[in-house]
Amino acid sequence: MSRHKLKWTVLALAGVFAWTACSNDTKLPANYHDDALGQPTDVESLLEGTDFTVTWQMASTTNVDGYVVSLTDTSGAEDTRFVDDGAATTYEESGLQLSSGTFYIIRLWAVDDVGFFGPTSDPDTLVVP
Amino acid sequence: MWRRQTTVFIVCLGLFCMASDTVAQGPGFQVQRDQVSVGQARVLSVLYPGLGQLAAGNRQRGTAMIVGHTAFLVAWLSSNSDFGTHEDQFELETERYLALREGGNFADADEAWRRLTDRKDDLDQAHTVRVAFGALTAALYAYNLVDVFVLGGVEPRQQRVSLAPQKIGDAPGLMLVARWR
């Protein structure tokens, strides 16, 4: 082997040595949140007297264990209800006392069996006459 | 204590006498030629690139190797430390992300995931820098070995122009030697 070849061979071996000696074993963990739960769509809320109804749609109910319905008033106070049915698309409550002359922001999201909250739906506005 | 100091002094004196080739030129004037053997120079270069070349008289090459290797070594150690810091931050963000699996929500998890991927990018970049400087350090060290053992980098080198002490009668003097082919 000529000196020139030997020189470059040794340099290449040094590069390989450095590459293997400095390993980078860190990897991203599995992404659990992106596709875990679907996002409720077409959220519509209705108030007739004291009867409160919310309806929504879900493209997929995979991993869905239930839903959280959220009512937020103009002061920012939030009140929530839990729907313990992953297949539900409606929530009804009678005798709900809401402040008249104001409005509420209604949102909901799915929940899985370990208590992870999925993406929040687009808000719907409920006007209380 | 005194005996230990004496022993150390004698050992140092012995090493000095072994390492230096002193030529007596008469009373009051000595010409001293400090030269290392090829074997000693090779050992020096194995210990640290450039030392053997410098000791053998190849000043430019020796200095370049010492400076280059020191710079690469410092950069590599620094980038290695930087990689360790990024690795710790990545592990911290991983723990934060995984902790949101139970009881967390999508928005927080998505934000944590974004930070985590940013940390991963930083970590990969730090790894690339670390490997680059590690390769440069190893390559220079390897080239140093090739230079010493194959290319004759520690062979005694005759300089074109040299200045050497020379006794002129009883007085000290200097000898300028110029060589050309």
Side-chain angles (χ1 to χ4, degrees):
Chain A
M1 184 183 290
S2 68
R3 287 183 171 189
H4 189 70
K5 279 185 179 177
L6 178 67
K7 192 163 65 179
W8 286 109
T9 305
V10 170
L11 290 179
L13 285 174
V16 171
F17 167 76
W19 186 262
T20 52
C22 302
S23 62
N24 180 12
D25 298 328
T26 52
K27 287 179 181 164
L28 283 170
N31 181 319
Y32 64 80
H33 74 285
D34 264 346
D35 300 319
L37 294 166
Q39 181 182 28
T41 56
D42 303 326
V43 176
E44 290 181 9
S45 55
L46 182 66
L47 185 67
E48 290 180 336
T50 59
D51 294 338
F52 174 62
T53 305
V54 182
T55 60
W56 65 89
Q57 297 296 319
M58 281 291 283
S60 168
T61 57
T62 306
N63 301 326
V64 177
D65 209 47
Y67 296 91
V68 174
V69 179
S70 162
L71 300 85
T72 308
D73 65 17
T74 50
S75 70
E78 186 180 33
D79 199 6
T80 56
R81 305 286 189 277
F82 182 63
V83 182
D84 193 11
D85 180 7
T89 55
T90 304
Y91 172 73
E92 295 177 349
E93 184 176 337
S94 299
L96 185 65
Q97 297 296 325
L98 297 175
S99 305
S100 60
T102 185
F103 64 90
Y104 288 80
I105 302 296
I106 310 299
R107 291 173 300 178
L108 77 149
W109 53 86
V111 184
D112 67 6
D113 58 345
V114 294
F116 181 72
F117 295 171
T120 307
S121 69
D122 290 334
D124 182 50
T125 305
L126 177 68
V127 178
V128 183
Chain B
M1 184 69 181
W2 184 83
R3 289 188 64 177
R4 183 183 292 177
Q5 286 178 343
T6 307
T7 309
V8 170
F9 176 74
I10 291 171
V11 169
C12 290
L13 190 65
L15 288 173
F16 178 76
C17 292
M18 286 170 62
S20 62
D21 179 12
T22 305
V23 179
Q25 294 280 324
F29 180 65
Q30 287 184 328
V31 175
Q32 181 174 304
R33 292 196 305 261
D34 290 332
Q35 282 192 339
V36 292
S37 67
V38 173
Q40 288 172 323
R42 282 176 176 166
V43 170
L44 284 173
S45 281
V46 168
L47 289 175
Y48 201 89
L51 281 184
Q53 290 90 333
L54 206 60
N58 294 327
R59 289 182 186 173
Q60 287 182 340
R61 189 180 294 185
T63 306
M65 281 197 177
I66 287 176
V67 171
H69 192 260
T70 303
F72 287 148
L73 198 62
V74 168
W76 178 65
L77 290 173
S78 174
S79 60
N80 215 31
S81 171
D82 189 45
F83 176 82
T85 305
H86 283 295
E87 198 171 34
D88 290 344
Q89 289 175 341
F90 178 78
E91 285 173 8
L92 195 64
E93 288 297 340
T94 302
E95 284 176 14
R96 284 177 182 164
Y97 174 70
L98 294 177
L100 291 168
R101 177 68 186 95
E102 293 182 15
N105 62 61
F106 179 83
D108 289 345
D110 204 42
E111 176 63 22
W113 178 259
R114 192 189 57 75
R115 285 199 307 266
L116 187 59
T117 51
D118 287 347
R119 292 292 180 208
K120 176 65 174 160
D121 291 342
D122 293 343
L123 187 67
D124 290 343
Q125 197 174 358
H127 173 66
T128 305
V129 173
R130 179 177 74 142
V131 167
F133 281 117
L136 285 171
T137 308
L140 191 58
Y141 185 81
Y143 179 76
N144 161 69
L145 295 182
V146 172
D147 183 51
V148 167
F149 289 101
V150 181
L151 301 179
V154 292
E155 301 291 339
R157 191 175 179 183
Q158 284 195 335
Q159 295 178 344
R160 285 187 174 180
V161 178
S162 62
L163 202 59
Q166 180 68 38
K167 182 185 171 191
I168 305 169
D170 288 334
L174 286 174
M175 178 174 64
L176 177 67
V177 180
R179 299 181 182 86
W180 62 88
R181 293 182 180 179

